[in-house]
Amino acid sequence: MNEALRELIAIASRHARGRRTRTAVPRVTIGRSEVPTPPLPELCQPTVLFVLQGTKTVLIGDRTLAYSAGSYFVYAVETPATSQLIEASSARPYMAVAFALDVELIASLLIDHRSAVGGDSFVTNSADDELLDAWRRMLRLLDRPAEIPVLAPMLEREIAFRLLQGPQGEKLRQLAHADGRLSRIRRATAWIRAHYNEPIDVTELAALSHMSNAAFHRHFKAATAMSPIQYQKQLRLLEARHLLIAQPGNAAHVAFTVGYESASQFSREYARQFGLPPARDAARLLARGEAATLEVD
């Protein structure tokens, strides 16, 4: 194992507190689990997820990401996904570090930055030695908290620069440019999230994104691995799951609250997504104590 990766695992292990730990370093979170998990739904925020130990899969639309130790992926757009930890144990826990993206910082790096290497938008990549070393120096600050205010911003800038140089850098470029493709798609996803329980007009979303209908469909699918209608449905079902835990036994009301016109259609699509009808799924989550932990890093 790479020496830098070994040190990253050791530091993360010392500072992890439960399944998800917000650290003293701004925008840096540690994920840890000693057990594999069933598929768990989540809404991925713009972030970089770097897996240090263990393996994980993430289903986004019709694409599957496969993480192994030392691999990372840039989530440039808020995206509904289903995550599953495959390898995790008490002897070798799953360990990961998440780095929330600062779009303004990335934009400030683009002036003198060379073109990024192209790559598949839905493939994880192995961190090179330079990125590993930058991550290691960032996590070392957890053992020297007095240095965080001075050194963390500099190291965050370096990590962003290394990411821009890597195979997923083009996504960051598109996200940071105000008129970039991903930046415009984010306007559409933000509107859908704010109005998830309302009917959507794809033509209006295309206009909001300053694209033709055909270009909007193509770029939306490239960014999220799903159509706008599928994206909205995923959001509705995720929100419905949270509401069912807060309001057990009231599936029909929840169905209408999240925008469904038919309770039976809601029940069918919910069961297809989560494996059980609404009421039974909520009861299962409550019985397992998973109500507050529907997401995993």
Side-chain angles (χ1 to χ4, degrees), residues 218-230:
R218 183 170 68 255
H219 293 313
F220 195 98
K221 180 69 180 288
T224 67
M226 62 191 83
S227 71
I229 299 299
Q230 290 170 326

Side-chain angles (χ1 to χ4, degrees), residues 20 97 124-125 159 188 287:
R20 176 173 296 164
V97 179
T124 60
N125 295 105
I159 289 172

Side-chain angles (χ1 to χ4, degrees), residues 109-245:
L109 293 170
L110 295 181
I111 298 174
D112 299 317
H113 178 62
R114 66 177 177 81
S115 298
V117 178
D120 189 324
S121 294
F122 285 97
V123 172
T124 60
N125 295 105
S126 296
D128 60 23
D129 290 342
E130 288 78 11
L131 183 56
L132 279 172
D133 184 57
W135 267 115
R136 173 169 57 176
R137 284 180 280 121
M138 177 70 95
L139 259 65
R140 281 175 176 170
L141 296 180
L142 295 177
D143 292 326
R144 302 192 291 267
E147 299 179 4
I148 290 175
V150 175
L151 296 182
M154 294 169 20
L155 289 169
E156 181 179 357
R157 187 175 178 85
E158 180 181 350
I159 289 172
F161 175 74
R162 300 295 179 193
L163 291 169
L164 277 165
Q165 289 185 310
Q168 301 204 23
E170 181 59 24
K171 286 191 288 185
L172 294 174
R173 291 175 64 84
Q174 288 287 339
L175 178 63
H177 278 301
D179 198 41
R181 181 180 67 247
L182 285 177
S183 181
R184 286 186 281 167
I185 291 299
R186 282 194 71 194
R187 295 175 203 163
T189 59
W191 191 96
I192 296 172
R193 291 196 316 279
H195 304 84
Y196 70 90
N197 58 350
E198 302 174 15
I200 62 174
D201 186 323
V202 176
T203 298
E204 291 183 1
L205 288 175
L208 177 67
S209 305
H210 301 292
M211 296 180 183
S212 68
N213 281 9
F216 176 71
H217 275 281
R218 183 170 68 255
H219 293 313
F220 195 98
K221 180 69 180 288
T224 67
M226 62 191 83
S227 71
I229 299 299
Q230 290 170 326
Y231 184 95
Q232 183 191 50
K233 183 173 77 171
Q234 293 287 309
L235 292 178
R236 285 178 170 181
L237 292 173
L238 281 170
E239 180 62 18
R241 206 179 202 206
H242 286 285
L243 291 175
L244 282 164
I245 291 167

Side-chain angles (χ1 to χ4, degrees), residues 4-79:
L5 187 58
R6 185 180 298 110
E7 184 177 347
L8 280 164
I9 294 169
I11 297 172
S13 297
R14 288 199 299 273
H15 292 275
R17 301 289 183 270
R19 196 150 78 177
R20 176 173 296 164
T21 304
R22 296 187 184 279
T23 73
V25 177
R27 285 180 286 282
V28 175
T29 304
I30 297 172
R32 183 182 188 277
S33 178
E34 295 186 355
V35 295
T37 67
L40 296 173
E42 61 180 323
L43 180 63
C44 298
Q45 301 297 325
T47 189
V48 181
L49 180 63
F50 178 29
V51 171
L52 308 177
Q53 183 169 271
T55 61
K56 171 182 181 175
T57 61
V58 179
L59 178 64
I60 302 176
D62 58 1
R63 301 295 298 271
T64 300
L65 302 175
Y67 286 95
S68 57
S71 65
Y72 72 96
F73 183 79
V74 173
Y75 296 87
V77 176
E78 294 85 347
T79 309

